[in-house]
Amino acid sequence: MLAVRQNWAEKNPEILASLVRAVARAAEYVEQPQNRAEVARLLAQPERVGVAADLIRRTLDGRLRISPDGTMRESSRYLLIGREEAARPEPVQAAWLYAQMVRWGQAPLSAEALKTAMAVFRADLYDLALKRWRATGPVAPEPFGAFAGPDFDPSDVTGYLASFEIGRRAS
C-alpha cells in the first residue's frame, strides 16, 4: 500500500507514477516463489519485521500454523500481494476499513466520512501509473468479502454493522 497527500500527488504526478510502478514491481517480485526465501531473509532482519525467516516464508507461501500441535492450513489466497489486483486501491476497501473503525468505536458513523474514506483510495491514479484502463462511468460496488462476517456492501454500512454481535459502535 502506498499513501501520499493529495496536494503532493497533484504536484508530483511523474514521481507518484514511478512510486506506484516500483511498488507494483516489488509486489510481483515477492509473489514469485523462487524469490520468497530472499524476501523472508530480508524481512526477518531486526530493523524490518524482526521475526524468524521461516515464519515469514510460511506466511508468504500461505501455510499457516493453526494449532499449538503444529497443524497447518494452506491457502493460496491467504496473503495476496501482487496477484488478483490485490494492490489496486479499491474504494470499497477503504469503506470496509472505515466500517471497522466505526464497529470498534474509533469513528462515528457518517455518510460524509464514508465518502471521504472512499475518495482516498485512488484506483484511477494506480491505473494511470500502470497504464491500465478500466471502463469509465459509475460502477455499482460489488460485495467485498473479508476475513470473517458477511460480505460488505458500502451502500449498507449500517446493516453490515448490525450483523455483528460483537463490537463497540460509536454513537
Side-chain angles (χ1 to χ4, degrees), residues 37-166:
E38 178 185 8
V39 170
R41 182 186 60 75
L42 291 169
L43 291 176
Q45 295 176 15
E47 66 274 10
R48 295 202 169 85
V49 177
V51 300
D54 65 320
L55 175 61
I56 294 170
R57 174 65 190 263
R58 281 196 327 261
T59 303
L60 290 171
D61 290 341
R63 294 185 330 239
L64 312 169
R65 187 177 351 189
I66 60 170
S67 155
D69 70 5
T71 302
M72 301 291 279
R73 179 174 147 196
E74 291 191 38
S75 171
S76 63
R77 293 190 44 81
Y78 173 68
L79 182 61
L80 300 177
I81 297 173
R83 292 178 285 135
E84 301 180 31
E85 297 286 331
R88 187 170 190 269
E90 297 288 350
V92 69
Q93 296 166 340
W96 182 84
L97 291 169
Y98 168 70
Q100 299 312 304
M101 293 174 67
V102 172
R103 178 180 178 199
W104 296 107
Q106 298 168 328
L109 182 59
S110 151
E112 185 63 29
L114 175 63
K115 180 179 174 185
T116 299
M118 291 179 75
V120 170
F121 278 41
R122 297 285 305 274
D124 60 321
L125 295 177
Y126 179 87
D127 291 343
L128 182 62
L130 297 178
K131 309 259 187 288
R132 296 177 183 167
W133 299 100
R134 299 191 176 263
T136 58
V139 176
E142 294 182 22
F144 176 75
F147 304 107
D151 282 345
F152 174 74
D153 178 350
S155 67
D156 186 19
V157 173
T158 302
Y160 172 78
L161 294 173
S163 71
F164 290 97
E165 291 181 26
I166 299 174

